[in-house]
Amino acid sequence: MSLPTRNNPYSFNEFLEWRKNVDYYADDPFIQKVVKHYCGDEWQKVDEEARSVSKKASFRWRDMAESIAWPEKRPYMMHYDGHHNRIDRIVRPRETEIMEREIFSEAFFSDHTSPWVKLIKMFIIYQNGEACVSCPITCTEGMVEMIKKYPDTPEIKDILQHCQEGIDGVFAIGAQYLSEIQGGSDVPSNLLEAVQEGDTWKLYGTKFFCSATHADYAMVTAKPVGSEDVALFVIPSWLPGNKEKEIRNGYTIDRIKWKMGTSELTTGELTFNGAVAYPVGPLNRGVANVAGVVLSYSRLTVGISAASFMTRAAREAKKYVQFREAFGVKTGQFPLVMSQLNAIEKLAKQTVAGAFKLYRDFLSLEGGLQGGLAKDQDISIRKKRFMIRELIMLQKITASWDSTDVIRTAMSLFGGHGVMEDFSALPRLYRDSAVNELWEGPRNVLLVQMHRDFQRASEWYLPAEFIAELLKGAEPKTIFEFAKEFVVLISYPSLLQMSDETIAVCEQWDQFCHKLYHCYQSLAMKEVESDV
Ligand SMILES: Cc1cc2nc3c(=O)[nH]c(=O)nc-3n(C[C@H](O)[C@H](O)[C@H](O)COP(=O)(O)OP(=O)(O)OC[C@H]3O[C@@H](n4cnc5c(N)ncnc54)[C@H](O)[C@@H]3O)c2cc1C
């Protein structure tokens, strides 16, 4: 019963007060348990670092991320200065620059930062969405890991030092420019031309999706003149001494895209007209190195950022249904609401556990990631490297897909307020999540890649053995069922030949991969829950 009154006293303050004071790590017993379980001997150090970074990410950086998300604060281009010099300055809010400086000072990729500490910092910081830092952190990692394998020249060594340890306290930011107007998935179709002029390589042509355009360096794919092979290069955005003068390294930023998500970050369309570039690795190994190393790191990070987004969405939805009332009861008292909340909480938790389990396996991989399919002499290492490669793709497609679903469900639990950009961060996370699904290899491309990989590896890694290893710890019946379906799907010759039958197999393959990774995640959850 409610009688009319002209002074409606309703307020969200109780919920807002809770939300304002949430510490992403200290107030999340589940992630603490995950850290304790998966980080081995190091867990106390990881826990300590997590508590420290969470004090910044949960409050100061959260507020900054929210503030720069307003449409009027979006970055914009200033192509020329007042004296008609082409500068292509990306104008970003001061808050973005301050937050970026503070976050990159966490020295994620320093030799003094352990991989687990780096991972937990990412997990916590990514709860604030893209915020013009998530993509740059990811791209910098891929670049660092790639050039670490080929520190062949003084220029590359300097770039590595700048990204890993910083110069005068400033840590460099990396980007990755692969996609061209005619194709993003199809990197071998790249047309950007690389020309050797004397001792120097220079790039000519265009790239169509260049995120983190403000970065100091970028990995760029291009074909040496006369070759069909794609090579990998690193370019500085400004040659030494030119950053202050705003003279870019032989390229222009033609425009920045207007996009649905990750809007605090620019994605540019670039024309190269003689950009100085340094080759990274053999000139005929660009595609293998990009897919095997650079993109694999980015895909791993998409998994962890999906876990972060979901964690925040589920946490805020849970509190909201405990606060909000409808028809005289808390909305959390409605069984339908509870069933949806339970589902997203479960998915969020299993995504976190799966990401940490995969990272543990990844860290124990001798020699790290490599370009192309594993060719190690030692068959057990070869199998392990293959397993990690495939799990990274499985995680990428599953976690990024689930993330968007989880956030949408969380928004729906907020009712109409769920879609209000100034009510919560959920709409922004939702838009960012949709982008996560697309970059670093869209779903279909990875599904086809995995199918091809399994066929090629099946001679030395029997499909049933692969499934048994991936699902180690599951019920024998579960392993048997998955293996049976897997063997049939892998025996289908190609997912690329158009027919009704292939379309049906593709549909089944898509669902199978999702289900398989969910099973891996639920085993990861079981491991965490088995700890007392
Ligand atoms: C916000 C944003 C930022 C980005 N930033 C960058 C960046 O910084 N650097 C960069 O290099 N790229 C970037 N990208 C590009 C992104 O990586 C590409 O969009 C992606 O690789 C897909 O390429 P495409 O858009 O050309 O799609 P297409 O390749 O045209 O694909 C279209 C559809 O066809 C499917 N498809 C393609 N090939 C196959 C196949 N063999 N089998 C089955 N299905 C297939 C795809 O899955 C997709 O569904 C960005 C994208 C977005 C959205």
Side-chain angles (χ1 to χ4, degrees):
M1 287 283 288
S2 61
L3 297 171
T5 166
R6 64 189 60 190
N7 299 314
N8 187 336
Y10 195 82
S11 140
F12 292 103
N13 285 348
E14 184 193 325
F15 171 71
L16 298 180
E17 194 55 23
W18 165 82
R19 198 175 64 181
K20 195 173 82 182
N21 292 309
V22 170
D23 182 314
Y24 298 163
Y25 186 81
D27 294 328
D28 184 346
F30 180 72
I31 184 62
Q32 293 166 29
K33 215 171 162 187
V34 169
V35 163
K36 195 167 175 186
H37 181 82
Y38 283 112
C39 300
D41 297 345
E42 234 194 297
W43 80 265
Q44 277 161 314
K45 167 83 181 147
V46 179
D47 181 82
E48 197 183 301
E49 294 270 358
R51 286 177 195 278
S52 161
V53 84
S54 188
K55 288 198 171 61
K56 296 178 261 185
S58 315
F59 307 105
R60 176 175 167 82
W61 296 339
R62 174 203 63 196
D63 291 347
M64 289 169 122
E66 243 124 70
S67 165
I68 63 169
W70 284 87
E72 55 269 38
K73 293 200 185 168
R74 297 238 165 115
Y76 63 91
M77 288 302 306
M78 193 185 276
H79 290 293
Y80 286 89
D81 68 8
H83 309 105
H84 201 61
N85 297 307
R86 181 101 193 204
I87 53 172
D88 285 342
R89 183 189 302 168
I90 296 164
V91 186
R92 299 181 299 154
R94 189 87 187 103
E95 284 153 297
T96 306
E97 293 175 352
I98 294 170
M99 180 173 59
E100 172 182 279
R101 176 73 80 94
E102 290 177 5
I103 291 180
F104 270 80
S105 299
E106 294 293 325
F108 299 97
F109 315 114
S110 162
D111 282 337
H112 309 290
T113 306
S114 91
W116 280 121
V117 168
K118 176 208 69 183
L119 190 82
I120 195 68
K121 283 183 177 183
M122 283 178 169
F123 175 77
I124 292 167
I125 291 167
Y126 289 176
Q127 291 195 32
N128 290 332
E130 169 52 50
C132 200
V133 288
S134 298
C135 163
I137 293 173
T138 306
C139 290
T140 308
E141 177 168 38
M143 189 165 90
V144 165
E145 295 301 333
M146 191 70 245
I147 60 180
K148 250 189 201 171
K149 291 187 185 288
Y150 301 103
D152 300 336
T153 61
E155 289 88 359
I156 298 232
K157 283 190 184 121
D158 286 350
I159 294 173
L160 194 55
Q161 171 74 15
H162 198 184
C163 293
Q164 281 198 281
E165 311 302 339
I167 294 178
D168 299 331
V170 178
F171 288 78
I173 296 172
Q176 302 169 3
Y177 307 153
L178 281 66
S179 302
E180 298 186 3
I181 192 165
Q182 74 282 3
S185 319
D186 185 4
V187 178
S189 75
N190 268 191
L191 295 176
L192 191 79
E193 204 173 61
V195 183
Q196 196 167 20
E197 297 173 7
D199 288 341
T200 310
W201 282 93
K202 293 196 173 170
L203 304 181
Y204 296 89
T206 55
K207 288 282 176 190
F208 205 57
F209 280 96
C210 302
S211 294
T213 336
H214 63 285
D216 302 283
Y217 306 100
M219 301 240 63
V220 186
T221 48
K223 282 181 181 154
V225 175
S227 165
E228 288 194 23
D229 291 329
V230 173
L232 189 56
F233 296 87
V234 61
I235 62 157
S237 299
W238 301 270
L239 290 173
N242 280 349
K243 185 170 184 179
E244 300 68 27
K245 296 183 207 150
E246 298 189 272
I247 301 171
R248 288 193 177 263
N249 170 21
Y251 70 90
T252 51
I253 303 172
D254 305 333
R255 69 182 286 269
I256 51 176
K257 292 179 184 295
W258 181 18
K259 51 188 171 150
M260 168 183 164
T262 66
S263 306
E264 307 78 24
L265 171 90
T266 54
T267 299
E269 296 168 11
L270 270 52
T271 297
F272 294 85
N273 190 15
V276 173
Y278 312 117
V280 179
L283 292 175
N284 62 350
R285 296 282 297 157
V287 173
N289 280 335
V290 151
V293 183
V294 182
L295 292 179
S296 290
Y297 272 96
S298 308
R299 288 168 188 162
L300 256 177
T301 311
V302 166
I304 199 79
S305 73
S308 302
F309 289 7
M310 291 191 227
T311 297
R312 180 166 180 185
R315 178 179 59 231
E316 295 193 0
K318 182 175 186 172
K319 191 66 187 179
Y320 192 73
V321 304
Q322 289 166 357
F323 156 80
R324 182 73 167 173
E325 288 180 12
F327 300 98
V329 293
K330 302 285 184 198
T331 55
Q333 299 291 320
F334 297 117
L336 268 173
V337 165
M338 264 335 267
S339 81
Q340 288 154 7
L341 183 72
N342 289 342
I344 63 172
E345 258 199 304
K346 178 169 175 281
L347 216 40
K349 284 183 172 172
Q350 73 178 47
T351 306
V352 175
F356 274 71
K357 181 177 157 92
L358 173 53
Y359 202 67
R360 181 184 61 186
D361 292 349
F362 165 75
L363 288 182
S364 67
L365 185 62
E366 256 175 64
L369 294 168
Q370 286 176 7
L373 269 196
K375 292 190 181 65
D376 306 79
Q377 293 302 313
D378 182 327
I379 190 69
S380 63
I381 298 183
R382 194 175 185 190
K383 286 180 177 171
K384 185 161 183 189
R385 202 181 303 287
F386 179 77
M387 173 68 74
I388 303 291
R389 172 184 162 103
E390 303 308 311
L391 274 171
I392 288 174
M393 287 192 266
L394 283 169
Q395 172 174 259
K396 158 73 172 67
I397 62 165
T398 312
S400 65
W401 194 269
D402 289 343
S403 165
T404 314
D405 279 352
V406 163
I407 302 168
R408 185 176 38 73
T409 307
M411 290 195 305
S412 142
L413 293 174
F414 274 78
H417 300 296
V419 295
M420 296 303 156
E421 298 271 356
D422 50 4
F423 194 90
S424 81
L426 296 186
R428 177 166 58 85
L429 295 185
Y430 179 69
R431 291 183 281 103
D432 291 350
S433 183
V435 172
N436 251 348
E437 230 174 276
L438 294 174
W439 59 19
E440 317 302 352
R443 186 177 184 90
N444 298 334
V445 173
L446 297 190
L447 285 168
V448 168
Q449 177 72 52
M450 285 187 286
H451 193 264
R452 201 184 296 127
D453 280 1
F454 290 130
Q455 285 184 329
R456 286 168 59 199
S458 61
E459 272 177 24
W460 48 270
Y461 206 161
L462 293 178
E465 188 195 346
F466 174 85
I467 293 290
E469 183 60 29
L470 191 147
L471 299 182
K472 207 194 260 166
E475 295 290 326
K477 187 170 174 293
T478 309
I479 296 176
F480 175 78
E481 296 293 337
F482 270 106
K484 198 168 83 180
E485 193 175 353
F486 185 61
V487 168
V488 174
L489 285 166
I490 291 305
S491 67
Y492 195 75
S494 167
L495 300 187
L496 297 175
Q497 246 159 8
M498 182 53 82
S499 70
D500 287 345
E501 192 189 357
T502 311
I503 290 175
V505 171
C506 283
E507 195 180 333
Q508 196 187 343
W509 177 240
D510 187 340
Q511 289 165 7
F512 174 85
C513 289
H514 213 88
K515 227 170 34 182
L516 180 65
Y517 193 69
H518 275 173
C519 192
Y520 175 85
Q521 290 177 325
S522 59
L523 291 166
M525 266 303 278
K526 245 199 208 157
E527 264 191 57
V528 177
E529 280 165 351
S530 66
D531 278 354
V532 276

